[in-house]
Amino acid sequence: MSILLPDRPADGAPAPARRLPVPPRPHAGRAGVGLAVVVGLLVAAHVVAIRQTEVSITALIDGWSGITRFLGDAFPPDLTWDTVVRPGIEATITTFWIGLLGTTLSIPLTVVLTVLGARTTTPNAVVYQVARAVMSFLRAVPDIVFALIFVTAVGLGPFPGVLAILLHNAGVMGKLWSEAVEEMDQGPVTALRTTGAKRPQVLAHAVLPTVVPQLIGLLLYRLDVNVRSSLVLGLVGAGGIGFLINKSIKLFQFDEMLTYILIVLVLIVVVDQVSGAVRRRLAR
């Protein structure tokens, strides 16, 4: 491809056009090489991961008979009211309380971490980095590890599950909330600062009214996640329906296990639908 440019005339006559080459697009070759390198690294990483995790389709096919035997023992579910269904419903409600309390009781700590861990509300770099480090630590430690620690400290039951979810959720929700505060429209904040408002006044009258709907939506999302997590915590002795599921598996009572799973499924669907409806209402 070329561009036609007129030559400068010597005697006033029309200048003949001359062709100039169009320069190639810069870095086009480098972008292609970079993409090929990234794809190659991803493929190599997946090959190594498959080998290290011993992924085997053959093993899955060979184990299909065991899966069939397990499903045969689980169906039909045991629907005995006094010994299975009623205790399962009661334990499922306990599981919901664990998730609810772990979420709501983490709000004060989350608010502190959010204010200290957002650049728009914390000008001090040291305080900001310390708050982010605390949030990273609470997120890095799985809630099930916290549950094992608290089970050792305070004994078996739902209380260790509440404490475990409280700490882990404060780290996760603190990160989500602080990022929401950092990404908010800074217009109201700037307007208040120009009028001489102090930092607590800016937080109360500019930051919170702007981000509260988004924070509530994130809180409801975390409630949904924490209810599911409280099920897993029961497997390590933190109470709830997870404890009954673990017991039924150890006793090879798979029909009871299936009943408990179906009860949990109902709880998860209800919580998901309710929290989703509230989030959609807040988004309007």
Side-chain angles (χ1 to χ4, degrees), residues 139-173:
R139 292 197 318 273
V141 180
D143 47 15
I144 194 169
V145 175
F146 279 130
L148 288 170
I149 295 172
F150 286 121
V151 163
T152 305
V154 302
L156 299 173
F159 185 45
V162 173
L163 296 175
I165 291 181
L166 188 157
L167 290 182
H168 184 72
N169 188 69
V172 176
M173 204 159 63

Side-chain angles (χ1 to χ4, degrees), residues 1 12 19 33 45-46 98 111 114 144 148 190 210 230 280:
M1 183 176 179
R19 297 181 178 275
V33 173
H46 280 76
I98 294 173
V111 171
T114 299
I144 194 169
L148 288 170
T190 304
T210 303
S230 61
R280 287 191 297 270

Side-chain angles (χ1 to χ4, degrees), residues 157-238:
F159 185 45
V162 173
L163 296 175
I165 291 181
L166 188 157
L167 290 182
H168 184 72
N169 188 69
V172 176
M173 204 159 63
K175 181 177 186 297
L176 296 175
W177 280 15
S178 61
E179 290 179 351
V181 171
E182 289 180 346
E183 295 172 359
M184 63 170 284
D185 181 14
Q186 296 299 311
V189 175
T190 304
L192 279 181
R193 285 177 177 172
T194 56
T195 61
K198 299 184 180 298
R199 187 170 303 279
Q201 294 173 319
V202 173
L203 289 174
H205 299 288
V207 176
L208 288 180
T210 303
V211 299
V212 159
Q214 186 175 0
L215 300 188
I216 294 177
L218 292 171
L219 178 65
L220 292 172
Y221 166 73
R222 286 302 304 171
L223 173 62
D224 187 11
V225 174
N226 290 334
V227 170
R228 302 166 194 253
S229 298
S230 61
L231 165 66
V232 180
L233 299 185
L235 300 178
V236 296

Side-chain angles (χ1 to χ4, degrees), residues 64-85:
W64 183 251
S65 59
I67 297 176
T68 304
R69 197 163 50 249
F70 170 80
L71 293 177
D73 294 337
F75 283 94
D78 187 349
L79 300 179
T80 306
W81 172 257
D82 291 331
T83 59
V84 180
V85 177

